Amino acid sequence: MISLKSIRNRFSPLLLGACLSCAGPHVAPTTAQEAKPLVGTSKVNQFTFPNGLKLLVVEDHSSPTFAYQTWFRVGSRDEILGKTGLAHLFEHMMFKATTQHPEGEFDRLLEAAGAEGENAFTSRDYTAYVQELPKDKLELIASLEADRMVHLALTETAFKTELEVVQNERRYRTENNPDGTMYQDLFGLAFKTHPYHWPVIGYQEDLNKMALGDAISFYRTYYSPNHATVVVVGDVSPTHVRDVISKFYGQLVATNTPSHAIPAEAAQTAARGEKTKLNIQIDKLLMGYHVPPISSSDMPAIDVFEEILSGGKSSRLYRALVDKGIASGVDTDDIDDKDPTLFIINANLQKGKHAALAQAVIANEIQKLKKELVGDEELQRAKNKITFDFYESLSNNSAKAHFLGKYESLTGDFENGVLEQQHVQSVNAAEVMAVAKKYFPTENRTVVSASPKGRKHK
Amino acid sequence: MKKLMIKTMVLKALTLAAFALAVSPMLARPLQAVEVSFEEDKRLPLVYVNLAVKAGAVTDPEGESGITNFVGEMLLRGTRDKTKKEIDLELDQMGARLEVETREEALILRGAVLSSQLEPFLKLVLEIVTEPSFPEKEIGKLRKEIVSGLLEELGDDSSLEARHFSKFLFRDHPYGNPVLGKIGTIERLDRAKVLAQYENIFHEKNFLIVGEGDAAEKTIQAWGDSIGKLRPSGDRKAAAVVGTPENAPERRLEIVDKPDRTQTQIDVGQIGVRMTDPDYFALYVGNHAFGGGSFSARLMTEIRVKRGWSYGAYSYFRPGLKPRSWIAHLFPAAKDAPAALAETLHLIEQLKKDGITSPEFEFAQRSLVNSAGFMYNTPQKRVANTLLERTTDLPSGFMESYASRISALNREQVNAALKRFLHPEKLAMSVLGTASQLKEALTKASGVKAPDVVVVPYTEE
């Protein structure tokens, strides 16, 4: 077994940032806004540092631990065709060697310190690095995260090995996964120009061509304090966190944000669809409608619309599909994108039933919502469920940090997430009907259906 | 994601004085025959209530695999006074959730509700549990839904492989039966069988209530008592029907043949140990060093970090009333599957022969002790711990005893336990992949004689 240190020496890693110590002198933050309410007695303390780094802190002393998350405002929407999958691949590379720490040491130091849930994830719009730690480990994680934000040192060998891992992840999530294949097809059909066209994990042919230089360029462009928000929730003091963050991140230099024009998607003018055959035993259906981004003022009404359609076993789609013996399950995906995206309905059919039938039933239920106002009881039922889900989404330190990081990254202000929940309570039946008419015409729809190989389509 | 979230429960538990929690203590006391454990937490206006019946899938009668889960689902589909539609409406109106989770040793009704709606919610659940009607029409509908769900699972390689491996490892033991049942057994279920299983396991002494949230413990206790009084006292079923599983006498290989796979799913394992086994904590540390989910673990280092063969590579114990399983899991590309299987077998053999090194032991011990607080740092985790302890007959507080137990271990004890426990010559191996491409190479890698390799179509139950 080759030691990590010898790997580092043998392959002379490229140094991607200045070899500055992270533990520089204290730099006072430029702004510290008044704490804002989140839920219950929880309040969010906000700080912005001179180098552009944002910090959100929530105190919760119910256990001697804290969640620490770093959210970068970069995802697959920032890629270009031919380099798809780069944001996600780079997420993997962030666990490699830095100028301060050889490969593997980041994980070893955190694991030895008792870290929990150390992980990372990439979406279309953001990339996040998450972990929980015992309360006395704040300086450790801040020093490590600040270090890898700018001091990553990549080798050709590490890059190639991790590329192979990512290709295996792609086999797992897409190639050998019917749902993954269908989602790739759905977004590929629904978006023609916008980067949501391609999957977050990228196309295989692009991954095959990816080079170390691509990763280095991506890192230099997007990994800097002015592209990030650090979120800390747990047994901490906001001023202490501010000082620790300042100590370790204060010396990092902001980089220019590239003038990267994201092409807008033209309005869809005709229904689109694809029928495919997969190694499955029952039919599957995905329907997507173009809807506005998460920051839209229509989002509260769309939330209620979604809940009426698919929230619980009294929802309209469950009744019309599962109770009627057509599908074994039906659901909708939460809208979680910065740019105009898709409202997605997915259904697994029952044995012997065809996707076309489910598609017709779903279209009919949507049609009803365009023509008939929702009753008060049904409206209140939807709001109650949304309220329940909101509270549940804030039920522990990690969940709170995720909520804050997501809304901060997608909308620029976590408060938009809280306001969206508040606005849901005032949505009326006419507004639900209005969003049904506005966003759910047939021509705005894209459908991907799959049936078992060896059976003719119907 | 950088790391695959391991869906299967990988037990991780420790306690340290430093993690003494600033929350109200878990209250657990047997009262009459129904045990209630509820932790008050008023930070959010939510209440979580789990009603467990300590008799899970292992109590499925022979030929009726899946019936316990079926009974649980049927509870939500009609009572003496309410139809399924009315139940669904009431729950959604309250902003509540009520779901069924079936384990080998327990059937759990998992409830969650806004605290403002707790009273009507508890009343409804009481009616669901004590006055189910099991309507014929709903039995027919549920049968079709479950069968369709099982057919859908055939498209999910990791889930399908886990199901096949369990059957292959445990052979005729009830632990090898799928909790959700098989298409054949589900299609044969009828109302008489469903009713009989309900009467068989829904006994006062089988009940356990565990929860947390914005409610008074005495409210939940009173509710538990009222449920208990409405059911026969009965006896504990699960422990009586489960025998101790044993390894097969020789190493075995099964290939679950599915066409067009560019990736395989590999499970390698053997019968595990009870968590109360004297060797358990030593094995727990040994497993952590070998494949416990850490990026520093041997399996992950050799399979993913060094070679990039698989996105995930880890090993874990599954808990049970009886020894369950110890499993190493990886999912390499088809082209790398034979080499990855051979390397995994080599690593297991090496682990038995040489044990773990001093640095590995020290790192595992330190990591496990320092992460102690995360075993129980939220009310939800404490509820999960209590459910596991009570349904698998662990001593009270077991899940918080890890740190002291692990701290007291030395490397020699760990390696001696590994030597006693591991049986490379009896390992069960299951690979989901395309047999025509892989059989010869996998056979060679496994060390199993070609005529003994079992190939089963992925659609076979």
Side-chain angles (χ1 to χ4, degrees), chain A residues 56 76 95 122 159 174-175 192 200 260 265 285 301 353 403 414 448:
Chain A
L56 304 178
S76 62
F95 293 84
T122 307
F159 178 79
T174 306
E175 270 180 39
K192 298 299 182 189
V200 172
H260 174 45
E265 185 69 24
L285 175 70
K353 304 290 183 185
F403 179 89
F414 81 89
V448 173

Side-chain angles (χ1 to χ4, degrees), chain B residues 124-199:
Chain B
L124 177 62
V125 177
L126 184 144
E127 184 179 337
I128 282 170
V129 172
T130 61
E131 298 177 6
S133 57
F134 302 117
E136 288 279 11
K137 186 180 170 189
E138 289 296 336
I139 288 175
K141 285 164 65 176
L142 179 60
R143 203 187 282 133
K144 288 180 180 172
E145 285 172 35
I146 291 179
V147 165
S148 298
L150 293 172
L151 288 170
E152 203 267 333
E153 191 186 35
L154 296 175
D156 180 344
D157 288 0
S158 61
S159 174
L160 185 61
E161 164 55 26
R163 169 188 268 248
H164 275 275
F165 180 71
S166 196
K167 183 169 181 279
F168 189 61
L169 173 66
F170 289 111
R171 297 172 295 165
D172 295 330
H173 190 277
Y175 280 160
N177 293 333
V179 164
L180 297 181
K182 303 173 185 174
I183 292 171
T185 60
I186 296 297
E187 285 180 335
R188 288 194 298 273
L189 293 183
D190 59 29
R191 188 171 187 278
K193 290 173 181 171
V194 171
L195 198 55
Q197 182 67 355
Y198 171 75
E199 295 297 345

Side-chain angles (χ1 to χ4, degrees), chain A residues 80-129:
Chain A
I80 55 170
L81 265 176
K83 302 289 181 190
T84 66
L86 188 51
H88 170 257
L89 172 61
F90 198 80
E91 171 217 309
H92 281 241
M93 299 310 297
M94 280 289 278
F95 293 84
K96 300 298 182 184
T98 71
T99 54
Q100 315 287 320
H101 301 286
E103 181 167 347
E105 194 166 283
F106 180 90
D107 288 323
R108 280 199 303 279
L109 287 170
L110 286 181
E111 287 168 17
E116 173 80 358
E118 185 208 344
N119 216 328
F121 46 87
T122 307
S123 85
R124 298 180 188 94
D125 310 298
Y126 53 74
T127 308
Y129 300 85

Side-chain angles (χ1 to χ4, degrees), chain B residues 331-449:
Chain B
F331 34 105
K335 64 185 172 63
D336 297 322
L341 174 63
E343 179 65 20
T344 302
L345 292 170
H346 167 69
L347 290 170
I348 293 172
E349 287 161 356
Q350 192 180 50
L351 183 67
K352 180 181 175 73
K353 180 170 171 281
D354 301 326
I356 61 175
T357 64
S358 288
E360 284 177 323
F361 169 75
E362 286 158 15
F363 180 75
Q365 189 179 45
R366 187 165 66 248
S367 300
L368 291 170
V369 168
N370 284 340
S371 63
F374 293 104
M375 184 61 197
Y376 53 91
N377 67 325
T378 68
Q380 297 96 319
K381 289 179 186 174
R382 293 192 283 276
V383 164
N385 292 344
T386 305
L387 278 171
L388 183 69
E389 286 175 2
R390 301 292 194 276
T391 57
T392 57
D393 286 357
L394 296 172
S396 188
F398 179 86
M399 303 304 286
E400 297 184 15
S401 72
Y402 275 51
S404 57
R405 304 290 295 270
I406 290 173
S407 296
L409 290 169
N410 60 45
R411 185 171 76 98
E412 288 66 35
Q413 289 169 310
V414 170
N415 287 342
L418 287 169
K419 207 173 270 293
R420 283 190 290 273
F421 169 73
L422 289 170
H423 295 288
E425 77 285 3
K426 297 179 181 179
L427 287 170
M429 294 164 279
S430 181
V431 181
L432 186 147
T434 304
S436 59
Q437 297 171 359
L438 292 170
K439 185 181 176 187
E440 188 178 340
L442 286 173
T443 301
K444 189 176 175 187
S446 71
V448 175
K449 291 177 184 169

Side-chain angles (χ1 to χ4, degrees), chain A residues 128-149:
Chain A
Y129 300 85
V130 303
Q131 55 275 124
E132 288 186 89
L133 284 152
K135 66 179 292 186
D136 61 344
K137 305 298 182 191
L138 181 62
E139 291 220 358
L140 172 69
I141 184 62
S143 69
L144 288 171
E145 286 290 13
D147 176 46
R148 70 173 173 172
M149 185 181 279

Side-chain angles (χ1 to χ4, degrees), chain B residues 265-280:
Chain B
Q265 297 282 332
I266 298 179
D267 283 307
V268 178
Q270 62 170 73
I271 302 299
V273 292
R274 276 272 290 152
M275 293 169 76
T276 49
D277 187 288
D279 277 344
Y280 173 72

